[in-house]
Amino acid sequence: MSCPSIYATTQPGGKRMIRTLAGAEGLATFGADTVRRADRARFKWRYICARYGPLDIGLAQFTPHTRQTPGDNFGHDHPVSRLMITLEGTQTVTVTGHELVMAPGAGILIPGDVPASYEASSVAARLHVDIAADHPGFAPLLKNAHCGYWPPKTPLLIALSAFVGTLLRRSDHTQTWADRTAVRSTLEAMICATISSAPPVLSGEEQVLGHRQQALQYIRTHHADPALTPGSVAQGLGMSVRTLQRAFAGDKNVSQWIADFRLESGLAFLRDPNFADLTLPEIATRAGFGSTVALRRGVLAATGLPPSAYRERHVGAARAAEAQRRADGGGVSYLPPAHPGPFPPVRLGGAMLGVGTDALSQTVSLAEARPS
């Protein structure tokens, strides 16, 4: 469904339209189906949209369903590319042979002439931005970013979602022409920046390595959480456990990587004189072991020494070296030896990638637009 206004790049637009479909009849009108028969009668789909020149923006909220689009430019009479950003729930989008799990904060850019299938197994909400592919301001960017996928919690998509959500909550009855033109200019600039940053949809080995890299980043950032499991890693990344496991086939599994990151963190605390005042229970908590027993077991297995003896060896050596340095009148301070850590780089597309930090985590609330 597209907004009722005609395609005209000179119109700043902004008029809002709301449509709701419900029940088995609404499901048929939408051209969708459900996995469970009981979900047909409970089906509800609500769509709020507005047009700003070459951009149609919309918020879709819906109950579980499956749907296939034939590549008809999402009902528009001109070529478009659709940018979708998940706000709530999880959906699976299959396009060009790739199955992409869309968790909150994830996004996908799909050309309107490419068939795709969608499956939502829970109540979900997502934002749509239909971009006129023949518009001179977007055509060159869309040519280079034919199809893209952003992982969950991408900051740029979160910012765009907040702005689009604000536009969809407002009415244009009191807006002046100048106000609508300014809004449209800001929206177009944000869309251009987003398209320019579109990560390509990877295939084959590159896709597997990309998932592995994302998982290592996530584990490194969240290893201090004692409740971290392969299941919570997969959920946090917006992928299935099976996809996550496939990314580590032939290597240490996810649980072993979690244990390795915790061990490296615990050993770092024990070696560093700056943390000599921390108790072993505090180190166990900070490193994600959850208990002193687990910390002791891990350190003993890795080094052959209990935590207290390992700390005394390294902290004692550091203090002795510092005392000797002062006695000698200066010199280089002691640096504790690095313990072999679980941080090998990953080769992806010919480039060596290290392990970075987690993306900004935020949520977008559109309570006013929730279906009743």
Side-chain angles (χ1 to χ4, degrees):
M1 187 186 78
S2 60
C3 291
S5 55
I6 63 171
Y7 172 62
T9 59
T10 58
Q11 295 288 333
K15 187 173 183 179
R16 187 174 65 171
M17 183 181 75
I18 301 176
R19 185 182 183 188
T20 301
L21 299 174
E25 183 178 351
L27 187 68
T29 301
F30 190 50
D33 200 354
T34 61
V35 176
R36 300 186 306 174
R37 183 178 297 273
D39 289 334
R40 295 179 182 175
R42 294 194 291 261
F43 174 75
K44 181 175 288 187
W45 177 80
R46 190 176 192 230
Y47 191 68
I48 306 170
C49 68
R51 167 161 289 185
Y52 287 87
L55 300 171
D56 277 7
I57 61 174
L59 167 66
Q61 297 167 298
F62 42 82
T63 57
H65 71 276
T66 62
R67 185 171 183 247
Q68 294 186 343
T69 56
D72 61 350
N73 285 301
F74 304 104
H76 293 273
D77 57 2
H78 55 276
V80 302
S81 283
R82 171 167 286 185
L83 172 63
M84 295 188 302
I85 306 171
T86 299
L87 300 181
E88 299 175 4
T90 301
Q91 309 150 72
T92 301
V93 180
T94 303
V95 58
T96 63
H98 298 93
E99 185 177 284
L100 305 172
V101 179
M102 304 286 291
I108 186 172
L109 180 67
I110 303 178
D113 59 354
V114 174
S117 63
Y118 307 83
E119 180 177 351
S121 57
S122 63
V123 176
R126 67 180 179 224
L127 285 175
H128 298 169
V129 180
D130 287 348
I131 309 162
D134 58 353
H135 187 275
F138 301 116
L141 295 174
L142 293 172
K143 182 178 180 180
N144 295 326
H146 183 67
C147 189
Y149 171 74
W150 292 263
K153 302 179 182 178
T154 299
L156 183 58
L157 296 190
I158 293 172
L160 178 60
S161 299
F163 183 65
V164 172
T166 299
L167 296 180
L168 290 171
R169 286 197 298 268
R170 65 195 292 183
S171 171
D172 70 336
H173 295 310
T174 59
Q175 286 183 292
T176 66
W177 180 278
D179 290 336
R180 293 194 296 269
T181 301
V183 168
R184 173 184 157 182
S185 297
T186 301
L187 181 60
E188 289 182 357
M190 295 183 72
I191 293 298
C192 285
T194 304
I195 296 174
S196 300
S197 71
V201 175
L202 303 177
S203 60
E205 182 180 359
E206 287 189 334
Q207 187 177 34
V208 172
L209 291 176
H211 290 157
R212 185 174 183 272
Q213 175 67 11
Q214 291 175 31
L216 289 175
Q217 290 177 332
Y218 191 90
I219 294 170
R220 184 184 188 186
T221 304
H222 296 84
H223 71 271
D225 179 3
L228 189 67
T229 64
S232 63
V233 172
Q235 183 178 12
L237 292 172
M239 63 179 67
S240 66
V241 175
R242 181 180 177 183
T243 298
L244 178 64
Q245 292 172 337
R246 187 163 53 242
F248 289 88
D251 189 11
K252 290 181 292 188
N253 60 38
V254 178
S255 296
Q256 290 172 322
W257 277 105
I258 293 173
D260 281 352
F261 275 95
R262 287 172 176 166
L263 175 62
E264 171 63 17
S265 180
L267 293 176
F269 281 123
L270 292 170
R271 293 195 308 268
D272 195 330
N274 295 319
F275 295 98
D277 292 334
L278 286 182
T279 65
L280 293 184
E282 288 173 333
I283 291 178
T285 299
R286 292 195 182 197
F289 282 96
S291 71
T292 307
V293 173
L295 172 66
R296 176 183 174 82
R297 186 185 304 119
V299 173
L300 188 61
T303 68
L305 296 172
S308 56
Y310 182 84
R311 166 184 267 181
E312 181 59 31
R313 170 178 291 185
H314 289 281
V315 173
R319 287 173 174 169
E322 180 64 19
Q324 185 63 44
R325 183 188 69 83
R326 292 179 178 177
D328 294 339
V332 179
S333 297
Y334 170 82
L335 295 176
H339 187 84
F343 313 127
V346 177
R347 183 175 295 278
L348 178 59
M352 298 298 288
L353 302 177
V355 179
T357 57
D358 188 29
L360 174 67
S361 174
Q362 297 183 27
T363 57
V364 178
S365 174
L366 293 174
E368 179 185 330
R370 289 181 182 275
S372 59

